[in-house]
Amino acid sequence: MSTLARASRLRIPLSRAFVALLGVAILFNGSYWSRAGLMFGDLLTSLGLVLIGVATVGRLWCNLYIVGYKNRELLTTGPYSTSRNPLYFFSSIGAVGVGCMSESLIITAVIALMFAITYPSVILAEERRLADLHGDAWTRYVATVPRFWPKFSQLDEPEQYTMYPRQFRRHLSDALWFGWAAAILLLIETLHDGGWLPVWWHAM
């Protein structure tokens, strides 16, 4: 098994372990900025909500195109005409948004760093698989569409597109979990403010 394939396989258990540790850190972390009497924490929360909103809409947009077609056809329209990995792009925005809503620059940086370390190998492994599946069509696609950062100027959307509503509904949770994370973070903040949940540290 190649290094990229092993990294792809390890992504899920490592991601779950990371999320669990991060959850504990956030659960008992109070706002450093509120404690210092600064409004910067509120600005981070607002920015986080905006980023999570963008990520949620973006992931729904991607799922509209990919659900029912993944591993069957090479997607080259909609979000996939601007980036070869738009789902990962919008996920990165959502992950940073979650970090911002923790009101901690340290936690935000850790999340961004974890994403930057973990996902390049996953993306490379998936692209090798797609190259094997689609051959010359993949080669032509790679020549014009960037790997990660979208090039919205070359957005190509059809007037009509066949979607699979039952499968799309089953994948809604994949797109909406950033919104749920935002709700949980707001609840944690409320519990901290009410003294119902202890604060053990204040990460800047």
Side-chain angles (χ1 to χ4, degrees), residues 70-91:
K70 186 176 182 180
N71 298 325
R72 187 160 60 86
E73 294 184 20
L74 177 61
L75 298 174
T76 59
T77 59
Y80 295 90
S81 65
T82 68
S83 167
R84 303 203 298 268
N85 294 280
L87 270 171
Y88 289 137
F89 170 75
F90 287 114
S91 293

Side-chain angles (χ1 to χ4, degrees), residues 95-118:
V96 172
V98 169
C100 289
M101 286 201 65
S102 73
E103 297 190 16
S104 169
L105 294 177
I106 293 175
I107 290 175
T108 303
V110 168
I111 292 175
L113 181 62
M114 183 64 181
F115 194 97
I117 291 173
T118 303

Side-chain angles (χ1 to χ4, degrees), residues 15 24 32 55 70 109 122-123 131-132 134 155 162 165 175 186 193:
S15 297
V24 172
Y32 169 88
K70 186 176 182 180
V122 176
I123 290 172
D132 291 338
H134 301 293
L155 174 63
T162 301
L186 290 174
D193 292 342

Side-chain angles (χ1 to χ4, degrees), residues 4 6 8 32 41 53 87 101 109 122 140 188 190 193:
L4 288 177
R6 284 195 295 270
S8 182
Y32 169 88
L87 270 171
M101 286 201 65
V122 176
R140 292 191 296 270
I188 290 172
T190 300
D193 292 342

Side-chain angles (χ1 to χ4, degrees), residues 82-86 88-89 120 123-124 127 138 142 145-150:
T82 68
S83 167
R84 303 203 298 268
N85 294 280
Y88 289 137
F89 170 75
I123 290 172
L124 287 174
E127 290 199 341
W138 173 258
V142 168
V145 179
R147 170 173 287 153
F148 185 75
W149 300 102

Side-chain angles (χ1 to χ4, degrees), residues 9 16 18-19 23 28 43 51-52 61 65 70 74 83 91 98 101 103 112 123 131 158 162 166 170 186 189 197 202:
R9 277 194 168 189
R16 287 175 178 171
F18 172 72
V19 168
F28 300 106
L43 293 176
L51 293 177
I52 286 173
W61 183 35
Y65 278 84
K70 186 176 182 180
L74 177 61
S83 167
S91 293
V98 169
M101 286 201 65
E103 297 190 16
I123 290 172
T162 301
R166 290 184 180 179
R170 288 197 294 268
L186 290 174
E189 183 180 0
L197 186 66
H202 296 81

